[in-house]
Amino acid sequence: MESFDSNFLKQLEYLSLVSRRVFRGQLLAQRRTLQRGTGVEFADHRQYTPGDDFRYLDWNLYARHDELLLKRFQEEADLHVYLLLDCSRSMDFGQPNKFDYARRVTAALAYIALADLDRVSVVAFASNIVDVFPLARGKQRVLSLLKFLQSLRCRAERTDLERSIRSFVHRQQRLGLVILVSDLFDPGGFERGVDLLRHHGYEPHLVHLVAQQEAEPRLRGDVELEDLETGQTRRVTVTERHLRQYRQAFAEFLERVEAYCCRHGLGCTRTTTQVPFEELVLRMMRSAGAVR
Amino acid sequence: MQWGNLGAAWWSLLAAAIVLLYLLRVRVRRQPVSTSMFWSQVIEPGRPRFAWGPLRQIGSLLAQLLLLALLVAALLDPSLGGPRQEPRRVVLVVDQSASMQARDAGPSRIELARREGRRLIHGLRPDDELAIIAAGSTTRVLCGLTSYEPELRRAVEGIQATDGPGRMGDAVELSRKIVDQQPEARIVVVTDGCLAEHDVLSGEDLEVVLVGEPLDNVGITRFQPRRLPQDPLSYEVLVEVRNAGRRPVELRLELELNGNLVDVQPLRLEPRQVWSRVLTQTSATGGRLIARLRPQPTRSPPAGSDAAEASDGSGTADSSDSPARIAAANRRAESDQRAWSDALAADDLAEAMLPDRARQSVLLVTDGNLYLERVLAAIPAVDLTVTDQLPATVPAGTVVVYHRLVPAVLPAGNILVIDPRDASDRWQLGPSLPPPVLVDPASESPLLSHVRLAEGQVIVTDARPLEMTVDHQVLARAVGGGPIYVSAESPNGRLLVLSVNLSQGDLPLRTAFPILVSNAIHWLQGAADEPLPSLAEGGAAPRDGDLLPAEIVTRTAPAAAARSAGISRPLWWELTLLALVLLCLEWFLYQRRWIA
């Protein structure tokens, strides 16, 4: 396992310990969810409607105010963490390779979640969902998770976030945290796919990966550009003016991602592959709150 | 148009290689990108990259062919005008006369001459040879015929102006000998035209490059001091000042000996006027004699203004020789010196070494005479020794003065005998004369210079006539008696005998006595009639003070015409420079992809 060697596992253990120190005092595997259910912690009241369970009527309140109100409790459940990993061909680019970097980040986040006794699932997608690591719990599933990640390959397909996430949300599964690890190079726009997550009650968080060669391309003169996702080639003559315009367009794309996340209150972590993945994970834990 | 290296035309075949490379299809580099959606925003698909796209390749080809053409043209060594096929033999003659030190508006004329030399070297082709000759007081070959440029440049940089005249005739003659019978031979003379022998600058093989502009100048053209034969304490100086300008000037000539001002001569010189004078001064000591031209001092300001300024209110400004007034005068003199502009400073000052008068040892053998001792001691440059015993031996070169005490046989050497009491081997004494009346038949003798013994000027009461036994000359005699002052010369030395009793009469009290003794000592020294040599330095020859070019020279070819006529510069440098500019332009266009 070249990508996940012993040093990598040591770093995962370190990240897990750091995450425990950070969130000390909280109950493991007992996260509050937005679902109202049969927990022991009172949440609020609501009007009684016929068919409700009489056991949850607040008789004391009925005696005082002559009004039938139903007590609601916050259900305590395990956190479900879904890691959506982009396996499109555009991820197989850059030095260091974006896909390798994405797998490491995914592995780190999954390891931390498993160590916290959360339920973790990894969903690989390109133009659609290509592979799924089902929900798992406990550190004993780490090795199988790593094997799954190592078996993944970049598909010669273009990114289609909307289609992939539509397939994801139509599955019968519990809501939870969705961490999208991708370069977001979707010609149709990344917003539609993330909107689906939001609208279906998931908590999306974007891990936006950018290769240095994408931000600062070093192309000059007559070249034949080859789109890795589509395989199309195109002869262009790149001048300094074109490079300036490219940098401006790329910067506008990054601003668009940030503005979207800010507008909808989503967590967003953008990084280049030059940054060590453990530093990225720590930064996410401390500032973005992706890992609680 | 002439071509110096036609063999380089083979390089033009490289054009075929360039065209062949142009015809080959260039494989465009493939560059994978993660997504093309940003490139699609930058470069619209389907839009031609350049409006002149088909011409980009042609433009690049033409640029490279033009670059090759320029380089091949540079290798062909083209030139405009002048004989190109035969190697040239050029002799550069640089005027080194004092007038080349003159500064016109910019650098000195000799620096302008060096620039002409550098330009000439730069214009040489590989097969050309150049010799460099310096025409100063002596003609020197600084560099023989060679094409080795570093040696030529070293020779040019070593050219300096001298303080003497330039012997241009010798230099031109030597140049003609160097390039005699040589094809394509030329002689280039760089001069300011201020030459005494300007008629030598003619001939078909001669090109004259004039440097400098006509300037006014006043200079010392002669300066020669010497000791006077008659008076060893005095010296005279021959000074000649020439106004070579076109305007009258007022200035003064100052003469300094060892830094002490000894004479000042105010001068007013009309254009082309030559002032010559022999100045006589007195000094026993020699040393450095300097003649200097200075401007006439400006009129001093009203009394008290300048001095009061310098006195800082001390109240001593009214004193005529106060330090403040002297300082103010010095400042005015310095200001005048700065304001006085002379194109050639070298001839404003002349120096010479005035020899010291040689010291003379004198041995006085006397039984005592205060007057004689004091007179001998007062003569400058005399080392006096007094004794009352006849010496057994006399040191060589010592003048012996016998007063009253006389040996029977006189030793060899120069001897002055005063009032001898006894006869010797060279004279016999007659009987004492009654108070004689002296006459001086040899008054023209240097021994009696400035001395009057006759006509009762000196009263002598005791004298004895001399009967000389050797050849002699009578300097003074008593009327009716015999000679009382004689001189004699022999291979053994000179002899003076004065048979006058100094204790009687008033001769020691007369002014003539110290002069008489001084003349006698100087005559006995033996070099009285030989002018003492002196070393003169500075002061140029008459023509060299003149900074106005001779008319014959001004009619010769000017510098630019001379250069265009024979020393044309090759064009390979310009062509190479043009190729470099084209290369930079091609790089610029390629970087912007205006050409492929």
Side-chain angles (χ1 to χ4, degrees):
Chain A
M1 188 177 290
E2 187 178 346
S3 300
F4 305 133
D5 53 9
S6 58
N7 287 332
F8 176 74
L9 296 176
K10 287 180 182 176
Q11 288 169 334
L12 291 185
E13 188 62 31
Y14 164 73
L15 292 173
S16 174
L17 291 173
V18 169
S19 68
R20 285 166 186 259
R21 265 202 302 275
V22 171
F23 305 109
R24 183 185 303 165
Q26 296 194 10
L27 292 175
L28 299 178
Q30 291 182 358
R31 312 288 173 106
R32 295 173 187 165
T33 70
L34 295 178
Q35 298 176 4
R36 304 294 185 263
T38 58
V40 294
E41 191 171 350
F42 172 76
D44 61 354
H45 292 91
R46 71 170 173 84
Q47 290 292 336
Y48 169 77
T49 57
D52 286 341
D53 193 344
F54 296 137
R55 291 178 296 175
Y56 296 109
L57 278 174
D58 193 340
W59 297 109
N60 293 330
L61 206 63
Y62 176 73
R64 291 182 184 179
H65 301 286
D66 194 17
E67 187 178 5
L68 285 174
L69 292 174
L70 207 65
K71 286 194 286 187
R72 302 180 68 191
F73 298 91
Q74 189 166 22
E75 185 177 25
E76 294 177 351
D78 297 341
L79 177 64
H80 286 59
V81 178
Y82 300 100
L83 294 163
L84 270 59
L85 177 61
D86 188 353
C87 293
S88 66
R89 192 62 185 271
S90 65
M91 293 292 285
D92 189 14
F93 184 79
Q95 190 66 32
N97 188 272
K98 270 196 303 183
F99 187 64
D100 290 342
Y101 191 86
R103 285 193 294 180
R104 285 171 175 261
V105 173
T106 303
L109 296 173
Y111 187 88
I112 293 170
L114 290 174
D116 286 350
L117 299 180
D118 290 329
R119 293 185 183 275
V120 175
S121 174
V122 177
V123 178
F125 71 95
S127 59
N128 204 341
I129 292 176
V130 296
D131 207 350
V132 175
F133 182 79
L135 280 170
R137 185 182 184 190
K139 285 180 69 175
Q140 67 275 12
R141 300 301 303 278
V142 166
L143 286 180
S144 58
L145 174 68
L146 295 182
K147 285 181 181 176
F148 170 77
L149 289 174
Q150 194 181 17
S151 65
L152 291 178
R153 293 287 179 272
C154 284
R155 298 301 187 95
E157 300 172 358
R158 59 187 307 172
T159 309
D160 192 341
L161 270 175
E162 182 184 7
R163 185 178 171 195
S164 303
I165 292 177
R166 189 179 300 280
S167 300
F168 171 73
V169 298
H170 286 171
R171 295 186 173 203
Q172 292 297 324
Q173 59 189 4
R174 296 191 60 172
L175 299 179
L177 176 65
V178 176
I179 299 177
L180 177 59
V181 184
S182 171
D183 54 10
L184 304 179
F185 290 158
D186 186 349
F190 68 93
E191 294 91 343
R192 287 187 174 183
V194 182
D195 285 343
L196 282 175
L197 290 174
R198 289 196 302 113
H199 297 159
H200 285 80
Y202 289 92
E203 295 180 55
H205 183 98
L206 306 187
V207 178
H208 187 192
L209 300 183
V210 176
Q212 188 67 29
Q213 291 81 355
E214 293 167 345
E216 295 288 339
R218 298 184 178 277
L219 305 179
R220 292 297 294 272
D222 294 335
V223 292
E224 190 176 43
L225 296 180
E226 179 189 10
D227 191 328
L228 290 177
E229 291 198 340
T230 63
Q232 294 177 343
T233 58
R234 182 179 168 203
R235 285 195 175 188
V236 296
T237 302
V238 181
T239 64
E240 191 63 38
R241 181 171 60 90
H242 291 149
L243 287 178
R244 283 198 303 271
Q245 291 175 347
Y246 176 90
R247 284 192 285 267
Q248 184 180 357
F250 195 80
E252 288 174 356
F253 171 71
L254 298 182
E255 287 177 4
R256 202 176 92 199
V257 173
E258 285 187 1
Y260 174 83
C261 294
C262 183
R263 187 165 60 247
H264 299 292
L266 305 183
C268 178
T269 304
R270 187 178 72 229
T271 183
T272 64
T273 53
Q274 311 290 330
V275 179
F277 81 95
E278 64 270 21
E279 184 181 326
L280 170 69
V281 173
L282 287 177
R283 181 153 47 108
M284 289 173 63
M285 287 192 295
R286 288 168 181 167
S287 61
V291 177
R292 299 176 61 192
Chain B
M1 177 72 74
Q2 300 288 335
W3 304 95
N5 184 19
L6 285 174
W10 290 100
W11 287 102
S12 59
L13 295 179
L14 283 176
I18 293 177
V19 174
L20 185 65
L21 290 174
Y22 167 72
L23 293 177
L24 291 177
R25 185 177 182 83
V26 179
R27 183 185 180 87
V28 179
R29 181 166 47 102
R30 175 167 289 191
Q31 182 68 43
V33 292
S34 57
T35 179
S36 60
M37 62 184 197
F38 301 113
W39 290 108
S40 298
Q41 297 177 30
V42 173
I43 306 172
E44 297 177 16
R47 180 183 174 188
R49 287 178 287 180
F50 292 95
W52 59 92
L55 299 177
R56 290 175 65 229
Q57 301 286 341
I58 295 293
S60 177
L61 175 67
L62 291 178
Q64 291 173 21
L65 288 178
L66 181 58
L67 184 64
L68 177 66
L70 289 172
L71 292 177
V72 170
L75 289 174
L76 288 173
D77 191 16
S79 63
L80 295 172
R84 304 300 304 169
Q85 299 302 326
E86 294 296 329
R88 294 172 300 185
R89 301 290 180 267
V90 185
V91 179
L92 172 65
V93 180
V94 179
D95 186 4
Q96 267 191 319
S97 62
S99 62
M100 292 293 282
Q101 298 181 33
R103 291 182 178 276
D104 301 300
S108 64
R109 293 179 176 180
I110 196 69
E111 175 57 28
L112 294 175
R114 283 195 288 263
R115 287 184 186 176
E116 291 296 331
R118 291 186 208 112
R119 198 170 296 154
L120 186 60
I121 294 170
H122 182 65
L124 292 178
R125 295 171 305 167
D127 294 336
D128 294 343
E129 289 186 337
L130 176 69
I132 300 175
I133 293 178
S137 303
T138 59
T139 301
R140 290 188 303 132
V141 179
L142 301 179
C143 180
L145 277 175
T146 180
S147 58
Y148 187 53
E149 189 170 325
E151 181 68 24
L152 293 170
R153 290 194 180 278
R154 269 196 298 273
V156 166
E157 299 305 326
I159 297 175
Q160 298 292 339
T162 63
D163 289 334
R167 301 174 66 87
M168 188 56 72
D170 295 346
V172 170
E173 185 179 350
L174 179 59
S175 304
R176 288 199 170 104
K177 288 180 180 175
I178 289 177
V179 296
D180 188 26
Q181 304 298 326
Q182 297 267 7
E184 301 298 336
R186 305 200 70 82
I187 300 172
V188 179
V189 178
V190 183
T191 178
D192 58 356
C194 305
L195 303 170
E197 40 185 6
H198 50 75
D199 50 343
V200 301
L201 298 178
S202 60
E204 290 299 322
D205 59 342
L206 206 64
E207 295 168 1
V208 179
V209 179
L210 282 179
V211 293
E213 300 292 334
L215 295 173
D216 292 342
N217 182 49
V218 180
I220 300 171
T221 51
R222 280 203 178 91
F223 183 62
Q224 183 65 50
R226 67 163 186 165
R227 288 279 180 191
L228 284 177
Q230 307 87 352
D231 183 3
L233 297 182
S234 299
Y235 62 93
E236 56 187 13
V237 184
L238 170 63
V239 184
E240 183 183 276
V241 180
R242 173 188 168 93
N243 178 14
R246 293 156 292 188
R247 290 173 297 189
V249 294
E250 287 190 7
L251 66 165
R252 58 178 178 171
L253 174 72
E254 293 181 357
L255 196 65
E256 293 178 4
L257 179 62
N258 291 329
N260 299 318
L261 190 65
V262 295
D263 199 356
V264 176
Q265 294 287 331
L267 303 177
R268 174 177 173 78
L269 299 177
E270 297 300 324
R272 301 289 175 180
Q273 181 182 352
V274 178
W275 178 88
S276 181
R277 185 78 46 93
V278 176
L279 305 175
T280 303
Q281 299 293 333
T282 301
S283 174
T285 60
R288 185 171 181 158
L289 196 62
I290 297 176
R292 194 193 315 269
L293 290 178
R294 286 188 185 277
Q296 280 288 21
T298 56
R299 184 169 297 176
S300 59
S305 62
D306 200 0
E309 176 189 339
S311 63
D312 298 331
S314 59
T316 58
D318 52 347
S319 174
S320 61
D321 55 350
S322 66
R325 183 171 291 275
I326 294 173
N330 289 337
R331 284 199 301 273
R332 276 200 306 277
E334 293 174 0
S335 174
D336 292 341
Q337 188 70 37
R338 285 195 298 269
W340 185 56
S341 61
D342 193 329
L344 184 60
D347 61 357
D348 295 339
L349 183 131
E351 299 184 20
M353 291 302 295
L354 182 70
D356 286 328
R357 184 191 175 193
R359 299 195 68 81
Q360 178 61 55
S361 298
V362 175
L363 175 62
L364 174 60
V365 183
T366 178
D367 54 0
N369 187 286
L370 184 62
Y371 295 107
L372 186 58
E373 290 181 23
R374 289 290 184 263
V375 163
L376 288 172
I379 298 173
V382 164
D383 298 327
L384 178 64
T385 305
V386 182
T387 180
D388 56 356
Q389 300 293 329
L390 289 172
T393 59
V394 177
T398 301
V399 173
V400 184
V401 180
Y402 292 104
H403 176 233
R404 301 169 71 93
L405 301 177
V406 179
V409 178
L410 289 179
N414 300 321
I415 297 171
L416 170 62
V417 180
I418 299 176
D419 189 19
R421 294 292 91 188
D422 302 309
S424 76
D425 58 334
R426 303 192 194 179
W427 71 80
Q428 296 294 325
L429 291 172
S432 180
L433 298 171
V437 175
L438 300 180
V439 292
D440 45 351
S443 59
E444 298 301 324
S445 169
L447 288 165
L448 295 178
S449 176
H450 306 297
V451 176
R452 292 284 186 185
L453 298 177
E455 300 172 357
Q457 296 291 331
V458 176
I459 300 174
V460 176
T461 57
D462 183 12
R464 301 175 67 180
L466 296 168
E467 296 177 8
M468 300 300 291
T469 60
V470 295
D471 292 337
H472 64 281
Q473 179 185 10
V474 178
L475 301 174
R477 67 172 61 245
V479 176
I484 61 171
Y485 189 26
V486 297
S487 64
E489 287 187 80
S490 68
N492 291 331
R494 293 181 171 182
L495 173 65
L496 280 175
V497 184
L498 176 65
S499 62
V500 174
N501 187 351
L502 298 181
S503 302
Q504 305 292 327
D506 63 353
L507 177 60
L509 304 178
R510 293 289 178 178
T511 308
F513 182 65
I515 300 174
L516 184 74
V517 175
S518 176
N519 289 345
I521 295 297
H522 177 59
W523 184 78
L524 290 173
Q525 279 182 285
D529 49 357
E530 296 291 336
L532 292 174
S534 60
L535 299 175
E537 181 184 352
R543 181 65 207 174
D544 284 286
D546 193 348
L547 299 183
L548 301 175
E551 291 183 2
I552 187 72
V553 178
T554 59
R555 288 199 297 270
T556 60
R563 281 196 294 274
S564 63
I567 315 300
S568 63
R569 187 174 167 182
L571 296 176
W572 66 267
W573 172 251
E574 285 80 0
L575 290 170
T576 308
L577 193 64
L578 195 59
L580 185 62
V581 171
L582 179 64
L583 188 65
C584 295
L585 180 65
E586 197 262 351
W587 178 85
F588 177 81
L589 295 177
Y590 176 75
Q591 291 298 317
R592 278 146 186 79
R593 306 304 170 199
W594 291 355
I595 60 175

